[in-house]
Structures are given as C-alpha cells and as structure tokens.
Amino acid sequence: MSWVQGLMVAAAVLPYGAALAAKVGGRRFDNNDPRPWLAAQQGWRARANAAQANLFEGLPFFYAAVLYALYAGAQQHGLAGLMGAWVALRVVYVLAYMLGRGTVRSIVWAAALAVNLAILWA
C-alpha cells in the first residue's frame, strides 16, 4: 500500500475513532438505538460526536481534492506530505473539540481547509 492509499484509509477511519470515543464507557449506551443516546449526551461525549459528524462532512472534499491531484499528475511524495498534514490537523481538531477548545478547534479547522485547498492544486 502506498502512502497515498494509507492516508486515504486513515482519513476514512478517523471519524470512527471520534464516534468510538463518544460511545465507549458511556452509561446506558444502547447499541440497538444509539442516536437518541448520543443526542442526549453533554460535555466531551457530545463534542466527540459532533467532531465525528464534521469529519464525515469533510471527507468528500478531501477525497475529491486528492483524486483530482492524482488525475492532474501531482507528485505522490508531495501529495502524501500534504495529505499527512491534513490527517494530523484533523486529529488535533478532534482533540481540541473534545477538550472544549473552540478557538483552537476553529484555527485548526481553517488550517486543514487551507491544506485541502493546497492538495487540490498540488
């Protein structure tokens, strides 16, 4: 598996990590009907669930940018570096979200968006 492929997989599984963080160890979590339980959460669990939703929302643009860059003939090494930066920023984003650091979270989100745009023009 190439770095590009591996980072595409990492980006795809990142939302599941945030979802898992929101659910694991939660009192009275009902895996047969998880959405009402998640909707009733507060604090870091609610923020982890919100981060998970945002990660899923950001995937289409990330994948489109990567696929376009590959189609346009971007160097895989440079592309992988940008992709790695995007994944790392999104990990920091989840941590900032869960810790309730709204300003940091917004700055990291904007940085990840800028990296995603750089991927598009790689």
Side-chain angles (χ1 to χ4, degrees), residues 47-74:
R47 291 190 301 271
N49 187 49
Q52 172 257 153
N54 185 273
L55 290 167
F56 275 123
E57 292 163 359
L59 275 179
F61 183 34
F62 174 72
Y63 279 155
V66 169
L67 293 174
Y68 180 78
L70 289 170
Y71 170 78

Side-chain angles (χ1 to χ4, degrees), residues 16-36:
Y16 296 106
L20 190 62
K23 296 174 186 176
V24 170
R27 288 188 142 161
R28 298 184 201 140
F29 175 70
D30 182 4
N31 198 39
N32 292 318
D33 195 15
R35 290 181 189 240

Side-chain angles (χ1 to χ4, degrees), residues 82-122:
L82 289 169
M83 291 172 69
W86 187 87
V87 169
L89 284 166
R90 296 301 273 174
V91 168
V92 172
Y93 171 86
V94 170
L95 295 174
Y97 213 143
M98 289 175 60
L99 293 171
R101 306 286 189 219
T103 301
V104 172
R105 181 190 85 224
S106 293
I107 291 168
V108 171
W109 181 91
L113 178 62
V115 170
N116 208 23
L117 290 168
I119 290 170
L120 189 59
W121 285 291

